[in-house]
Amino acid sequence: MALQLYFHPFSSYCQKALVALYENDVPFERQILDGPDSPAMQRLAALWPMKRFPVLVDGDRTIMEATCIIEYLGLYYPGPLSLIPADPKEALETRLMDRFFDNYVSTPQQRIVFDALRPEDARDPYGVAQAREMLDTSYAWLDRTMAGRTWATGEQFSLADCAAAPFLFYADWTHPIDARYANVLAYRRRLLQRPSFARAVDEARPYRGFFPLGAPDRD
């Protein structure tokens, strides 16, 4: 039975999982979540009542959360590129950077986007200001960290880069990366040139009109 991925192409966390699948040409069946009443969403709700995605189904196994999906693929569907280093110390650094991109880039970015989706009288300007401050802090830290690195942990593309690609992509749309963070901007450009992520970006182009802050005319 083929792997099934429940996802939406415009979702950053889904793109994180897609990058891993594309990096190693892992075949899978697409279960695109086209709205709350779509057949795929109804099947997802039966599998995972939280109805968060992506979700990977492998026979009788259901794997939630993008990071866990990528770890699962490495264990059960390994390919030429190992996205989790075999060395435990290198693996720890990879997971640390993965958590950084999840918690300190994606989380504040999504807080700003979700606020824009609220009715005007329910918005949280203070929370948005905090999120923007966190993104500025994250950009500054990442700029120092990426000095001399090609990818998130060095010269090897990894789980951390699967996270960085969509999260920095949308973060720059939401709260533009300042020109003084040249290392971050160069890293973002490299990620966009990576064939696996370029494919995910192209597949999501038809949905750009849904971005509540207005998708910029670039990328």
Side-chain angles (χ1 to χ4, degrees):
M1 184 181 294
L3 289 172
Q4 294 183 322
L5 184 71
Y6 287 80
F7 75 105
H8 192 280
F10 201 52
S11 158
S12 57
Y13 278 95
C14 293
Q15 290 177 3
K16 176 178 174 177
L18 287 169
V19 168
L21 288 159
Y22 293 159
E23 280 289 331
N24 282 314
D25 293 320
V26 179
F28 67 97
E29 181 181 305
R30 295 167 179 268
Q31 298 288 339
I32 296 180
L33 302 165
D34 249 347
D37 299 321
S38 65
M41 183 61 84
Q42 292 173 8
R43 291 193 295 273
L44 175 66
L47 289 164
W48 179 226
M50 299 296 180
K51 294 187 279 189
R52 297 294 181 91
F53 44 89
V55 166
L56 186 73
V57 176
D58 184 13
D60 59 358
R61 286 179 169 172
T62 300
I63 303 94
M64 295 77 72
E65 302 293 332
T67 294
C68 295
I69 288 170
I70 294 170
E71 296 247 18
Y72 183 87
L73 292 171
L75 288 172
Y76 293 97
Y77 296 87
L81 178 62
S82 177
L83 294 168
I84 310 290
D87 179 87
K89 292 179 181 178
E90 293 177 8
L92 177 60
E93 175 72 7
T94 298
R95 293 185 175 99
L96 183 154
M97 290 300 290
D98 173 67
R99 302 321 303 144
F100 166 76
F101 289 115
D102 271 27
N103 293 322
Y104 303 108
V105 177
S106 181
T107 295
Q109 183 270 331
Q110 291 197 346
R111 187 173 186 180
I112 297 167
V113 168
F114 291 155
D115 188 79
L117 292 169
R118 292 176 176 174
E120 197 157 343
D121 61 356
R123 290 182 182 169
D124 177 16
Y126 180 70
V128 167
Q130 285 184 311
R132 292 189 183 279
E133 183 179 354
M134 180 175 284
L135 281 172
D136 281 332
T137 302
S138 296
Y139 294 159
W141 182 86
L142 184 61
D143 196 68
R144 295 190 299 271
T145 301
M146 289 305 298
R149 295 186 183 187
T150 300
W151 303 114
T153 60
E155 296 306 306
Q156 179 73 29
F157 192 91
S158 72
L159 161 69
D161 302 291
C162 295
F167 300 160
L168 286 175
F169 178 71
Y170 287 119
D172 189 44
W173 284 14
T174 304
H175 186 73
I177 301 165
D178 193 278
R180 70 182 182 272
Y181 300 130
N183 293 327
V184 179
L185 289 168
Y187 176 45
R188 185 178 182 274
R189 285 193 295 271
R190 286 194 296 276
L191 290 165
L192 279 163
Q193 292 165 359
R194 187 82 178 186
S196 58
F197 185 52
R199 179 179 173 184
V201 169
D202 284 342
E203 290 173 347
R205 287 185 189 279
Y207 304 97
R208 289 190 175 196
F210 295 146
F211 193 68
L213 303 174
D217 294 328
R218 54 183 170 86
D219 299 328

